[in-house]
Amino acid sequence: MARFEPRLVVVTGAGSGIGRATAEHFARSGSTVICADIDPSAASETVLRITERGGQADAHTLDVADPAAWDQFAESVRTTHGVADVVVNNAGIGMGGPFLEHTAEDWRRVVDVNLLGVVHGCRVFGAQLAQRHRDQPDQRGYLVNIASAAAFTPSRLLPAYAATKAAVLMLSESIRAEMADHGVGVTAICPGFIATNIYAASTLVGGSGAVGGIAQDFFSRFAPGPDLVARHIAFAIRYGVPVMPVTLGAWVSYGTYHFATPLSRLAAKLGNDSGLNRLADLGNRLLGTPTRPSTTSPRHESRTS
Ligand SMILES: NC(=O)c1ccc[n+]([C@@H]2O[C@H](COP(=O)([O-])OP(=O)(O)OC[C@H]3O[C@@H](n4cnc5c(N)ncnc54)[C@H](O)[C@@H]3O)[C@@H](O)[C@H]2O)c1
């Protein structure tokens, strides 16, 4: 079978981190990239970075949590550029802290963005790809869903985030066989810690705010950059990989969850209040950073997304 060379690629959350690196990666390979983000200036910045290097890209404003916006977006892409060959459902938000501190609204937002945002992307662009394959059976497509190593790393620190990412992983596994009948491949990408803005932008509830700050400082210095994920996405599309952990830590979690589940459950207990405070102190000493204020609001310690 001929190598799959996407002509048109859609990336959500393309204004930062993994989405931006993925958009730039595909643009370097010759694809036209539709850069969608809830933040219009961030999406435009990515487009500028691509076009300045001679690539082709177009910016769109999209809140992936809005199903009507998805319909308009997909129709506008088809009208202007044709059917997208690859859709990378990347947009996501972080949320951490004790389960009992999460409100119904917290759950609604994280499910709307992290899970339903991916469902809608697969639904509207999957339908276009299936239709094109019926009309032109030699045409294929690909849906890439950005889950996380959290999908198979139970943790008391990330109940809502991990639940949505596990759902994205299972969604991807579940639609894979059906979409294959329509000439569409599906991959769930499961990165471990990657140096992006997600830690700073996360909603952190209960006593987890100080650790959020430490995590941002620590991972921006020591975690691999988002281009690593972009390269794994290209590899997964090329070889039709169903589930792709990225980073050594993600592979260790993947293996532990599947072959030594009790160990995963043991690790899930790490991170109670006193442990978090000790971790924050240790992080501050190691990183030489001042201790961040632990609360900016009575309950939610950081809410920027
Ligand atoms: N960074 C990591 O360590 C890591 C690890 C595993 C998985 N992930 C996943 O990778 C994806 C990208 O995260 P990142 O680390 O690059 O984060 P990031 O915060 O750097 O980028 C996320 C982008 O998504 C956009 N976005 C947020 N909500 C949106 C919405 N409702 N609609 C459209 N766009 C929206 C933001 O504006 C931002 O540009 C997320 O799904 C995240 O859960 C990240």
Side-chain angles (χ1 to χ4, degrees), residues 6 9 11 21-31 33 86 88 233-234 237:
V9 176
V11 181
T22 303
E24 292 182 348
H25 184 95
F26 279 108
R28 279 196 301 274
S29 311
S31 307
V33 186
V86 170
V88 183
I233 291 171
I237 292 173

Side-chain angles (χ1 to χ4, degrees), residues 210-215 217-218 221 276-293:
V211 164
I214 296 293
D217 291 344
F218 186 84
R221 286 194 216 181
L276 284 177
N277 287 334
R278 281 203 302 274
L279 196 62
D281 285 345
L282 180 68
N284 281 329
R285 265 184 269 137
L286 286 175
L287 295 167
T289 48
T291 304
R292 290 169 185 238

Side-chain angles (χ1 to χ4, degrees), residues 41-282:
S41 58
S44 299
E45 171 72 23
T46 302
V47 168
L48 191 64
R49 288 165 62 106
I50 289 172
T51 51
E52 275 177 351
R53 293 171 177 81
Q56 306 267 355
D58 201 358
H60 281 255
T61 305
L62 172 73
D63 177 357
V64 296
D66 179 349
W70 267 109
D71 290 335
Q72 285 165 10
F73 171 59
E75 199 40 49
S76 147
V77 171
R78 177 164 56 185
T79 310
T80 315
H81 298 277
V83 174
D85 304 297
V86 170
V87 177
V88 183
N89 288 302
N90 163 76
I93 53 174
M95 189 170 285
F99 170 69
L100 291 178
E101 297 287 338
H102 288 67
T103 63
E105 187 44 43
D106 292 330
W107 275 96
R108 175 155 300 285
R109 187 65 188 158
V110 75
V111 169
D112 275 352
V113 176
N114 287 7
L115 173 57
L116 293 179
V118 176
V119 170
H120 299 318
C122 291
R123 198 172 51 75
V124 296
F125 280 100
Q128 288 189 6
L129 283 164
Q131 181 62 51
R132 183 176 71 172
H133 186 67
R134 277 194 290 281
D135 298 341
Q136 304 167 62
D138 61 319
Q139 293 285 324
R140 293 182 292 138
Y142 218 100
L143 301 171
V144 178
N145 297 332
I146 308 301
S148 166
F152 37 74
T153 313
S155 165
R156 62 184 292 160
L157 294 174
L158 297 170
Y161 182 78
T164 59
K165 293 302 183 176
V168 168
L169 175 57
M170 190 50 75
L171 168 78
S172 310
E173 292 272 41
S174 300
I175 65 175
R176 188 174 155 81
E178 178 183 338
M179 295 312 296
D181 292 345
H182 299 290
V184 180
V186 181
T187 289
I189 302 284
C190 301
F193 297 116
I194 302 293
T196 72
N197 292 332
I198 196 166
Y199 304 99
S202 289
T203 296
L204 301 169
V205 303
S208 56
V211 164
I214 296 293
Q216 178 68 30
D217 291 344
F218 186 84
F219 294 126
S220 61
R221 286 194 216 181
F222 300 115
D227 194 50
L228 180 71
V229 184
R231 291 199 302 274
H232 278 74
I233 291 171
F235 178 91
I237 292 173
R238 187 166 174 191
Y239 295 104
V241 183
V243 178
M244 182 94 254
V246 181
T247 75
L248 180 62
W251 276 106
V252 169
S253 272
Y254 192 62
T256 307
Y257 187 63
H258 289 95
F259 302 113
T261 318
L263 270 184
S264 277
R265 294 196 184 116
L266 208 59
K269 295 182 181 175
L270 297 172
N272 60 13
D273 283 352
S274 63
L276 284 177
N277 287 334
R278 281 203 302 274
L279 196 62
D281 285 345
L282 180 68

